[in-house]
Amino acid sequence: MNTTHKYTDASEHGFTLMEVMVVVAIVGIMSMIAIPSYLSWKPGYEFRGAVSRIASDLNKAKMRALEIRRECRVVFCGNQYQIVDGDKTMGSDWTLITGNSTCLTNAEQSTLSTAGRRVRNVSLADYNNVTATINNPIIFSPRGLARSNVTTTVTHGSSNDSVGITVIQTGRVHVGW
């Protein structure tokens, strides 16, 4: 049996310039179609991400109250919010804080830290034009119950979408899509 191998020279391997130009043209046309769709989809995706993060952090605040066996408070102000540990199981002393619905200053945070109370700052700056507003802070008891029914309105500035996140007295966090 006679087997011969055909040897080819290097010029027969690879792609021609015409093939590469066709592929680049196809990729260019596909990206021209895809980019506007992506840009119109992105703000809604960011908004849903912000709403999910806030709902998740509210559940974490409830779990934090259960963990430390003291009250835990969530305060919204503009594009940020704070989760603050209480000092008692019920009726925590919030007098160290300037108001019921304002975020803490750095001085107030250091005062609470020296008193053994943790403050967690969460910024919504990563999510473009997303703000959360609320009239009263959300306070969770050591049993995971909320002091009262409270609704936080999350608004997306560029699309004027808004969603209410409600915390009911049983501690359940409900997103009203």
Side-chain angles (χ1 to χ4, degrees), residues 74-150:
V74 182
V75 181
F76 290 86
C77 45
N79 67 343
Q80 69 173 348
Y81 53 98
Q82 294 176 330
I83 302 170
V84 185
D85 289 351
D87 63 344
K88 299 178 186 168
T89 56
M90 295 300 281
S92 290
D93 180 15
W94 303 111
T95 57
L96 296 171
I97 302 166
T98 55
N100 281 339
S101 60
T102 59
C103 284
L104 303 173
T105 64
N106 290 335
E108 291 169 329
Q109 290 182 40
S110 64
T111 302
L112 291 176
S113 294
T114 53
R117 293 163 67 180
R118 184 177 89 172
V119 177
R120 182 172 165 237
N121 295 301
V122 182
S123 174
L124 295 173
D126 295 342
Y127 306 100
N128 294 329
N129 297 320
V130 174
T131 57
T133 56
I134 190 170
N135 293 334
N136 298 315
I138 300 168
I139 300 175
F140 290 103
S141 76
R143 293 183 176 176
L145 305 174
R147 195 177 274 180
S148 62
N149 293 344
V150 180

Side-chain angles (χ1 to χ4, degrees), residues 6 11 13 17 24 37 41 57-58 81 89 91 95-96 100 108 155-156 158 166 173-174:
K6 179 180 176 188
S11 66
H13 295 290
L17 180 60
V24 168
S37 298
W41 166 78
D57 282 343
L58 288 172
Y81 53 98
T89 56
T95 57
L96 296 171
N100 281 339
E108 291 169 329
T155 307
H156 189 259
S158 61
T166 304
V173 178
H174 175 72

